[in-house]
Amino acid sequence: MVLDYSKWDKLETSDDEPPVQPPPAKVVQAPKKAPAPKRKLQPWDYHPAKSLHKDLFEPDNWPRWIHPSLLKVISAWQKQKETGDTSFACVDLESFDGFRVEAPGICSFPALSDEFCDMLLEEVRHYRESGLPSRAPNSMNNYGLVLNEIGLRASFTSVLKEVLLPIGARLFGSDEDRVQCVGGVDVETEDWGGSTLDDHHSFIVQYRPTDDKHLDMHIDECDVTFNFGVTSHENFEGNDLTFCGMFDSASHRKLHHRYKHVRGRCVVHSGKRRHGAMDIEKGERASLIMWTKSRSFRRTEAYRERNRKGLTYGEADNVCLSYTHDPDYKKLMPKKFQYHMKQEAQDAAERSVKTEKRWIRVCTSEDLVEGTSKMIELEQENEQVAVFRHRGELFALDNRCAHMGGSLCEGEIEDIGTTGLGASDSKATDGMVICPRHYMCFNLRTGANVEGDPMSQKVYPVRLSADGKDVEVEVEMEVVVPPLSVPSRLPALLQMLGSWIFKFQQEPKFAVAGLGCLTFFIVTGLHLRSTFRDAKTNLR
């Protein structure tokens, strides 16, 4: 049999076998989408999900939080307003139980209930514990909370419109609304838009000896300030509000009045009156503050003209000096009281203090490497000195920034360079330190502000020790005066004796008793002296 091989040349796939499959295509999986980043919670996420006292966030609840005396005095205005009459003459401050004119331009009155004060403090504490972010309530207070941002703006808007507006009108409103005197006492206020207050910045501030201890002298960024005490006076000592003059007057830096906060009571004043809070000595104090504005009043020519004058710098009482705003602060404020708000500062300038210059060791030369700084604090002198090494040279400045007391030792050190030269007596190769708080720049050599601002830093002599191992600065230190010696006390003793003789003539019984005591002390002293001598002789 002849085989036909031709068919093998054309061999096909057998019907009995599955067809050959092509290799599978490579499957490329799409990359998994990254989960959307979780939105960072903000203060406005607090209410209603996380808030504690939800009643506080209801604007119509305002009558529950107001003191009965204040509700009574505004009741006639509330009824009158329903008829469409919005005048303020019916708000009778004469009948306002508890209203006081504290000083010209400064008044106080009962405002908040104890229940509201408790709930507000609890709400602030609860917010802090929630972990939500918060910013400083203003440019000068670091501890507190902006209430507008956590959902309470509407509630305090109701308080402004329904309660504080008529009080603002009667005290800081237009000529037809403003009262001249209350209870026979002249109010002496001016028109600051009180009749048309329509905006507010409401916040809590807190003071503790370890945190914000005081509030430097300043004026507020508002037209009328309502400041409410919400902490019982038993919880703190010190921290009195201190008021000075109006910003555009010659008495801007002269002491005007001191006020001690009372829980639930409001002190109201023009925002443009210089004021501050003294050092808190013990405990904790919190205040609710409402900075209120009149947007319509701010558009008037009268407002623009008044603000065009700006701050007045003249004679100053020490308690009215501001380390934030006064370029002559360090020249006028005694060193021991700088960056504090103490009552004793007022009398300090009247006492002459003897000082002497001394060289004080700061650190070893090896510790102060190029481009770094070291600081020494002299607690007794209330002084901080920062030393710097720049381009191989040593420099020493007052460590506390002339603006707001920020630590220059923590700032960056750079060459001044050519940019801005001419604004101060600087060279391009001079070093400058940049305050980390508000970025003010000071020449290390001269202490001058590089940008020409009048606020400058004190410069200290600085050197290496005789053996070259240590860095030293020269500072003025107070000399302790020893107690008076017996000879120097003699005139005082003679004066005392003379007064006793005079008393003998006027009141014989008193003088006899005094002379008897004096005789007893003299005899006892002589006896002890004799005993001491005898003992000394025996020892020999």
Side-chain angles (χ1 to χ4, degrees):
M1 179 179 178
V2 179
L3 295 177
D4 184 4
Y5 291 102
S6 60
K7 66 178 181 180
W8 299 99
D9 297 333
K10 302 175 185 178
L11 188 62
E12 298 287 339
T13 304
S14 171
D15 293 336
D16 299 330
E17 296 178 358
V20 178
Q21 300 293 328
K26 189 175 180 180
V27 179
V28 180
Q29 294 184 352
K32 292 183 179 180
K33 291 184 178 180
K38 191 174 181 180
R39 185 177 70 85
K40 186 177 180 180
L41 293 178
Q42 298 295 335
W44 46 86
D45 294 311
Y46 179 66
H47 180 77
K50 297 177 179 292
S51 55
L52 178 64
H53 296 296
K54 293 182 172 40
D55 285 355
L56 287 176
F57 296 81
E58 296 299 326
D60 293 337
N61 285 341
W62 65 264
R64 294 172 51 187
W65 319 132
I66 304 304
H67 192 280
S69 296
L70 180 53
L71 285 176
K72 182 178 179 181
V73 81
I74 65 171
S75 59
W77 178 75
Q78 289 286 343
K79 293 177 181 178
Q80 172 188 288
K81 191 173 59 164
E82 294 175 359
T83 68
D85 184 355
T86 58
S87 62
F88 299 100
C90 63
V91 181
D92 184 14
L93 298 184
E94 292 282 355
S95 64
F96 191 174
D97 186 22
F99 182 89
R100 287 200 304 265
V101 178
E102 298 285 345
I106 304 168
C107 301
S108 71
F109 55 89
L112 303 175
S113 67
D114 286 343
E115 179 190 15
F116 178 84
C117 293
D118 287 337
M119 292 175 70
L120 186 61
L121 290 175
E122 290 171 6
E123 196 70 52
V124 171
R125 190 178 304 113
H126 184 71
Y127 183 89
R128 290 293 187 197
E129 294 170 354
S130 73
L132 289 169
S134 63
R135 64 183 176 94
N138 55 61
S139 63
M140 299 185 70
N141 289 98
N142 296 310
Y143 296 90
L145 184 64
V146 180
L147 299 174
N148 285 3
E149 293 182 351
I150 69 168
L152 284 168
R153 173 181 282 279
S155 295
F156 285 107
T157 297
S158 289
V159 172
L160 174 59
K161 290 171 57 179
E162 305 294 341
V163 181
L164 300 181
L165 176 59
I167 303 299
R170 296 298 274 162
L171 295 175
F172 296 96
S174 59
D175 292 344
E176 57 268 24
D177 293 333
R178 200 168 65 252
V179 297
Q180 299 301 314
C181 65
V182 178
V185 180
D186 291 339
V187 179
E188 296 187 35
T189 52
E190 302 173 295
D191 183 7
W192 282 100
S195 300
T196 52
L197 296 175
D198 59 359
D199 193 15
H200 66 92
H201 174 58
S202 299
F203 55 93
I204 285 278
V205 292
Q206 295 169 299
Y207 298 92
R208 287 182 287 265
T210 55
D211 298 323
D212 275 345
K213 190 173 183 177
H214 60 258
L215 180 61
D216 188 30
M217 282 289 166
H218 65 288
I219 58 175
D220 293 336
E221 178 46 43
C222 68
D223 300 327
V224 180
T225 298
F226 295 89
N227 190 332
F228 306 82
V230 293
T231 307
S232 172
H233 68 278
E234 299 172 352
N235 293 352
F236 66 93
E237 293 179 9
N239 215 208
D240 295 355
L241 285 183
T242 302
F243 294 95
C244 304
M246 291 295 291
F247 79 119
D248 57 351
S249 70
S251 62
H252 176 55
R253 303 197 297 180
K254 302 295 287 183
L255 180 62
H256 186 63
H257 181 66
R258 292 190 178 95
Y259 175 83
K260 185 176 290 293
H261 262 299
V262 177
R263 190 185 199 210
R265 195 170 184 86
C266 174
V267 59
V268 56
H269 57 91
S270 164
K272 297 302 185 289
R273 181 173 292 281
R274 176 171 277 213
H275 62 286
M278 307 301 283
D279 282 4
I280 187 168
E281 304 297 336
K282 183 180 178 182
E284 178 179 334
R285 180 176 77 80
S287 289
L288 163 65
I289 298 176
M290 293 183 67
W291 286 353
T292 63
K293 298 179 183 179
S294 168
R295 286 174 287 192
S296 59
F297 177 69
R298 289 190 164 214
R299 291 193 292 267
T300 64
E301 181 59 32
Y303 178 84
R304 289 192 291 269
E305 180 61 31
R306 182 176 296 176
N307 281 273
R308 195 172 290 130
K309 298 177 183 178
L311 294 176
T312 300
Y313 297 100
E315 293 184 5
D317 292 327
N318 284 347
V319 293
C320 292
L321 288 171
S322 168
Y323 57 77
T324 307
H325 302 102
D326 292 345
D328 53 358
Y329 175 81
K330 289 193 175 182
K331 295 179 181 178
L332 299 179
M333 179 64 77
K335 183 171 63 175
K336 281 201 170 185
F337 298 100
Q338 289 178 6
Y339 301 100
H340 290 278
M341 292 285 288
K342 289 183 176 292
Q343 206 71 35
E344 308 93 285
Q346 187 59 33
D347 304 322
E350 301 172 5
R351 300 195 302 267
S352 58
V353 178
K354 187 177 180 180
T355 62
E356 67 178 19
K357 293 182 177 180
R358 299 178 188 171
W359 286 95
I360 305 295
R361 178 185 180 276
V362 180
C363 61
T364 66
S365 179
E366 292 180 352
D367 286 342
L368 189 63
V369 300
E370 177 67 23
T372 64
S373 60
K374 295 289 182 181
M375 187 268 286
I376 183 173
E377 182 169 11
L378 307 172
E379 293 186 8
Q380 188 67 25
E381 307 300 319
N382 187 33
E383 195 161 11
Q384 296 178 1
V385 183
V387 293
F388 307 85
R389 192 186 291 273
H390 176 71
R391 290 182 176 268
E393 293 188 64
L394 297 176
F395 304 92
L397 300 177
D398 184 349
N399 180 60
R400 292 177 291 201
C401 176
H403 178 220
M404 288 186 70
S407 177
L408 296 186
C409 186
E410 300 173 7
E412 297 291 331
I413 303 170
E414 299 178 1
D415 278 346
I416 290 178
T418 57
T419 303
L421 277 181
S424 63
D425 182 19
S426 299
K427 302 175 183 177
T429 55
D430 281 348
M432 69 177 179
V433 58
I434 305 171
C435 178
R437 192 164 183 183
H438 296 101
Y439 309 108
M440 298 190 82
C441 303
F442 299 97
N443 187 311
L444 294 178
R445 178 174 56 85
T446 66
N449 187 292
V450 171
E451 297 179 354
D453 189 279
M455 290 186 177
S456 61
Q457 295 299 111
K458 180 179 178 180
V459 177
Y460 295 82
V462 59
R463 71 182 185 186
L464 289 177
S465 58
D467 58 10
K469 293 182 178 180
D470 296 323
V471 177
E472 300 174 338
V473 293
E474 187 181 45
V475 295
E476 285 193 7
M477 304 191 74
E478 185 174 340
V479 177
V480 178
V481 180
L484 292 174
S485 61
V486 173
S488 62
R489 290 178 181 174
L490 190 58
L493 292 173
L494 293 175
Q495 184 179 2
M496 183 185 299
L497 183 62
S499 66
W500 276 353
I501 295 173
F502 176 78
K503 281 287 185 181
F504 179 77
Q505 297 174 350
Q506 302 296 321
E507 302 178 31
K509 291 182 180 180
F510 174 84
V512 168
L515 290 173
C517 292
L518 178 61
T519 302
F520 172 79
F521 285 122
I522 292 174
V523 171
T524 302
L526 292 173
H527 176 71
L528 291 173
R529 183 180 181 186
S530 176
T531 303
F532 175 76
R533 284 180 175 176
D534 292 342
K536 194 172 182 181
T537 302
N538 292 335
L539 287 174
R540 289 177 181 174

